[in-house]
Amino acid sequence: MAEEVQKHSVHTLVFRSLKRTHDMFVSDNAKPIPLDEESHKVKMAVKLRTEYGSVLHMPTLKENLREKGGPNTGDPYGHKQYSGNQGQEVEYMVTGTHPYPPGPGVALTADTKVQRMPSESAAQSLAVALPASQSRLDANRTAAGVGDIYRHTGGSERSQPPGMSVAMVEAGGNKNSALMPKKAPTMPKPQWHPPWKLYRVISGHLGWVRCIAVEPGNQWFVTGSADRTIKIWDLASGKLKLSLTGHISTVRGVIVSARSPYLFSCGEDKQVKCWDLEYNKVIRHYHGHLSAVYGLDLHPTIDVLVTCSRDSTARIWDVRTKASVHTLSGHTNAVATVKCQAAEPQIITGSHDTTIRLWDLVAGKTRVTLTNHKKSVRAVVLHPRHYTFASGSPDNIKQWKFPDGNFIQNLSGHNAIINTLAVNSDGVLVSGADNGTMHLWDWRTGYNFQRVHAAVQPGSLDSESGIFACVFDQSESRLLTAEADKTIKVYKEDDTATEETHPVSWKPEIIKRKRF
């Protein structure tokens, strides 16, 4: 027969449970262990020696000692006190200099007698001349670094106000500036750039002008539009030379080859076409993308075409065989822009998933993913001379350094959806936005020296004010923009402007450089 379970009142069970819980948690493991004085002293002594060893020998100021009533005899961290210092006031003694008594065992030389302010090398050689044990004793007791000599002998050489006491310590011949108070970095003065002014508006398209490219000979340029046509224009006069039809939806990207007489185009009809400009006909199609193709670029040195699409991939094509060499997958949303360069990384993509990816062309894999942007990256531009690039997003324009995508700086202030970026060799960066505004920046400093908001074409709605693409011509003296009012606008530098008539309204404000 089974034993009867002893019945207890709820009150008893609750108190038993409380007791068990109390017993379980009475030894609180989260509490810090009691401090052991001896081990704490050892720890702090080691920390002092490793982190502040190079400055421990700095002299104590006489004024401080007077206020405290003499030197401290008890060291909280257990360091020895030298008997030579006890019972007397500590004097400044700088070894081997003219205005002060010499250190023990070192005679004043002709070098130090002549110069009131000893040279850095002379002071160092004198310090080295002391015997090892003696110099160590004096260093702990009286010696000062060269920075101290400069600071305490006459005010003319003093580079800092008295409140900003800066110790430049000579430790083994290297300047240790660990204790220097750091100034907040200030923006360097930007290079002066003349302002850009609108001088031509070209009409002819019947829809938004979505993309633009200038041919390598700088004779003509090509545009693609939402009216499904590609138009070729004379660069000097702005007259229409040719219209190409073949796309069945908006043309989103055009580029002219520098290596062959070919024009490449892509669009929202998923098609990528190669046009032979000798016959003005399509000679190749590149099939493979599963959705709208948003951008394309040609490799500068090999016959490779790269396209990016709303299907979250970028594809690499062999221009001649039409074969898809690689499908670059990894982005989790539409890839909005792609750029190529001859150096590593050879392919850069920006996506609506807010990331930028740097790709290994040979392996067809991601080298680096940059996740600093908080919003879609619709534009990327490579600097023509520096090994750097910029990316545009509604949160910020960011500059990066190749090959690993190290962050350089933010260019803040263009608070709009940035569709396009262009940069020239003179360091003028242009950002064009969805609301029709265009900002011009000094590349090196990130200074915004001009803002432009051109009027829309007569007859267009004000809401049709948007810049979809911009590009400098090959001479970099003209800036062309493709806009939502169905026009192409051409800007040039104002030849009459000088730094006196258009001064830089620049203030050396403190830079706020955010990592993210």
Side-chain angles (χ1 to χ4, degrees), residues 297-302 306 339-349 357-362 367 382-389 401-405:
D297 200 15
L298 283 165
H299 195 284
T301 55
I302 54 178
V306 188
K339 287 284 176 267
C340 287
Q341 62 177 2
E344 292 292 340
Q346 295 181 50
I347 295 168
I348 302 97
T349 56
R357 285 179 183 252
L358 314 180
W359 300 85
D360 184 326
L361 175 61
V362 178
R367 282 168 56 111
L382 314 184
H383 194 285
R385 288 186 180 164
H386 304 164
Y387 197 37
T388 56
F389 73 104
K401 199 183 290 183
F402 287 127
D404 300 318

Side-chain angles (χ1 to χ4, degrees), residues 298-317:
L298 283 165
H299 195 284
T301 55
I302 54 178
D303 283 333
V304 157
L305 172 71
V306 188
T307 56
C308 62
S309 167
R310 203 178 71 179
D311 62 13
S312 307
T313 66
R315 282 179 180 260
I316 301 170
W317 312 88

Side-chain angles (χ1 to χ4, degrees), residues 43 78 101 158-159 163 180 241 344 393 416:
K43 176 187 165 188
R158 193 175 285 162
S159 59
M180 287 179 67
K241 289 166 73 83
E344 292 292 340
S393 170

Side-chain angles (χ1 to χ4, degrees), residues 147 151 158-168 179-184:
R151 204 166 65 250
R158 193 175 285 162
S159 59
Q160 303 266 346
M164 295 278 289
S165 65
V166 179
M168 289 295 288
L179 295 186
M180 287 179 67
K182 288 185 181 172
K183 279 186 183 174

